Amino acid sequence: MASVSNPILVTGEPYTPGLTREAVCETYGVLVDEIAKLGSAENPLGPSPKALIAIAAAMGLTEQYPSWTAEPLRKAIAARYDVAPDEVVCGTGETEVISFIIRAYAGVGDKILMYRPCFPIYHLFAENEGRVPVYVDMGREMDFRVDAYVEALKSEPIRIAFLTNPHSPSGKLMAEADIRRICEAAGDALVVMDEAYIHFTETEGSLHLVKEFPNLIVLRTFSKAFGLAGLRAGFGIAAPEIIRPLWNIKPTWNMGHMQMAGAAAALTDHEHIRRTVDLIVEMRGYIAQRMSGLTAFRMVPGSRSNFFLIEVMDDRLDSTIVFEKLLERGVIIKDGSVSFRGLDKRFLRSDVGSKVNMDRLADALAAIEQSL
Ligand SMILES: Cc1ncc(COP(=O)(O)O)c(C=O)c1O
């Protein structure tokens, strides 16, 4: 039998996705329509309608190969964000761009820095590719320990430094001054700023810093505010010298016509984005107010994203017990101890979603509290 290049490919920890409605319906007998799916940070308003029209129109191109560098989409992204097309790389989701970056900018055995907890793909891909994750723990209230991060950059030979803004799983927003400090301290290391959820912060993010810092790449996705998680499209923006090796390492025709057309149309669907962000901001306030009435659970304050952390405050419960009790009641969230390295049994992550789903979550938590 063929042997793998690295044994961790056989034994390594797989990604743990959020559960589907169908799985919960099958196991717990809750009707699919009555399930609150709050574990995958998807758009509660669904896809951009403009994207759907463009995807349907692009079906007519299916017999033709697409541009191998996703040129039409790169041009659309460049026009939208005021950069040049050769400063853009596209992937089937941001996740694919993350894999190119790890392979292109760190060799086997090289160190990759990240906060803990973080988006698990950073360390899962790093380990699967034989690279070595180095962690800086977030603070007790999930604050960014920037001094410790800068210290790690200076004291270890780091090749890639991942940042997520707003942070996942806490939703905390990093200040621009701290991002600048980290880019300055990084030197020759590549700073990867993952802005998958930036729309929900109602800030512009870090794209403007790419011109200033040649060691910075900013990543964005079409899966969240644009509502296209099932389409698979994401991108990175950096200096052309950073982008070119990523084109060369990626599978040649990684973006199909429908992905490119849907994503490009979504970029200009400002109304859909506005409605999405308005709903998330309103519901973030609503769920905070509903959670404040509970004593067995606490919302970790300060999320600027479309999810937040729930801390279990009652010793008779832990995150896995709460996760199961919520599933029985048709509410899917994430058990922090399973989904995020570095979170213990006291944390779960829930999405911010529609009012009906925020009520389902708050009602279910209240019922669990009352049953103690
Ligand atoms: C922080 C972060 N980055 C990136 C992604 C993935 O984005 P994509 O769907 O574009 O691969 C996610 C998905 O949940 C995420 O949480």
Side-chain angles (χ1 to χ4, degrees):
M1 192 166 126
S3 58
V4 293
S5 57
N6 177 355
I8 202 163
L9 291 171
V10 180
T11 57
E13 182 191 329
Y15 179 66
T16 309
L19 291 178
T20 62
R21 288 192 179 83
E22 290 68 26
V24 173
C25 170
E26 208 172 291
T27 312
Y28 298 92
V30 186
L31 292 177
V32 166
D33 287 349
E34 290 173 8
I35 292 172
K37 186 170 186 287
L38 297 169
S40 303
E42 294 153 349
N43 190 323
L45 296 180
S48 146
K50 282 190 178 171
L52 295 186
I53 294 167
I55 292 166
M59 285 171 80
L61 297 170
T62 306
E63 87 290 357
Q64 297 170 33
Y65 276 94
S67 152
W68 77 276
T69 64
E71 191 178 358
L73 180 56
R74 287 190 299 109
K75 283 184 168 163
I77 291 165
R80 169 69 184 82
Y81 296 110
D82 196 20
V83 296
D86 64 354
E87 293 175 304
V88 184
V89 61
C90 296
T92 61
E94 227 195 89
T95 309
E96 197 187 35
V97 183
I98 293 169
S99 81
F100 307 154
I101 291 172
I102 289 176
R103 283 163 45 218
Y105 284 97
V108 171
D110 283 345
K111 293 184 174 176
I112 301 182
L113 186 64
M114 59 199 76
Y115 275 112
R116 178 169 58 192
C118 64
F119 182 41
I121 290 292
Y122 310 152
H123 56 74
L124 293 178
F125 281 3
E127 287 173 344
N128 281 330
E129 300 276 1
R131 281 66 168 166
V132 182
V134 174
Y135 302 105
V136 172
D137 288 323
M138 296 286 284
R140 176 73 186 94
E141 279 293 284
M142 292 294 149
D143 31 289
F144 297 97
R145 293 174 55 242
V146 180
D147 289 345
Y149 198 95
V150 166
E151 190 46 44
L153 275 170
K154 287 186 176 157
S155 58
E156 303 235 26
I158 300 293
R159 298 299 302 266
I160 301 174
F162 278 104
L163 296 171
T164 322
N165 207 27
H167 175 251
S168 175
S170 71
K172 293 278 170 92
L173 184 67
M174 182 179 263
E176 182 169 314
D178 290 334
I179 299 168
R180 284 174 179 280
R181 246 188 95 196
I182 288 170
C183 289
E184 275 155 20
D188 289 339
L190 181 65
V191 179
V192 182
M193 171 53 84
D194 179 345
E195 294 189 339
Y197 302 98
I198 196 71
H199 289 89
F200 307 115
T201 68
E202 299 186 282
T203 69
E204 286 303 309
S206 305
L207 282 174
H208 63 284
L209 295 181
V210 165
K211 299 225 187 298
E212 209 176 312
F213 294 102
N215 60 349
L216 173 67
I217 182 165
V218 177
L219 307 185
R220 299 250 178 128
T221 178
F222 289 94
S223 301
K224 308 298 175 185
F226 299 107
L228 300 174
L231 188 67
R232 309 308 302 135
F235 62 95
I237 294 185
E241 297 73 25
I242 297 289
I243 294 296
R244 174 62 60 169
L246 301 175
W247 288 4
N248 288 339
I249 210 164
K250 73 179 183 57
T252 310
W253 298 278
N254 63 323
M255 300 295 292
H257 291 294
M258 286 177 265
Q259 284 160 295
M260 288 193 274
L267 271 181
T268 57
D269 195 346
H270 304 298
E271 194 197 327
H272 188 68
I273 298 165
R274 189 69 258 158
R275 285 178 57 228
T276 301
V277 173
D278 286 349
L279 176 70
I280 297 299
V281 171
E282 186 189 348
M283 287 302 119
R284 215 162 51 200
Y286 178 70
I287 190 64
Q289 174 245 317
R290 287 227 43 193
M291 294 278 305
S292 67
L294 301 173
T295 52
F297 305 100
R298 178 181 87 109
M299 182 178 188
V300 175
S303 172
R304 300 285 297 274
S305 193
N306 60 340
F307 49 72
F308 59 94
L309 282 174
I310 297 171
E311 185 173 359
V312 180
M313 307 301 283
D314 191 299
D315 287 343
R316 289 166 290 181
L317 296 170
D318 69 28
S319 62
T320 305
I321 298 172
V322 174
F323 178 72
E324 288 289 335
K325 284 179 183 288
L326 287 172
L327 288 179
E328 285 164 19
R329 292 166 169 85
V331 177
I332 306 169
I333 62 173
K334 275 191 193 307
D335 175 352
S337 68
V338 173
S339 295
F340 295 98
R341 236 176 243 184
L343 280 189
D344 61 21
K345 288 252 179 211
R346 310 230 58 81
F347 292 98
L348 302 103
R349 194 194 86 173
S350 170
D351 300 349
V352 177
S354 63
K355 179 157 185 302
V356 64
N357 282 343
M358 292 299 89
D359 282 332
R360 282 173 172 151
L361 170 68
D363 291 347
L365 290 173
I368 294 169
E369 182 174 304
Q370 276 154 26
S371 71
L372 290 174

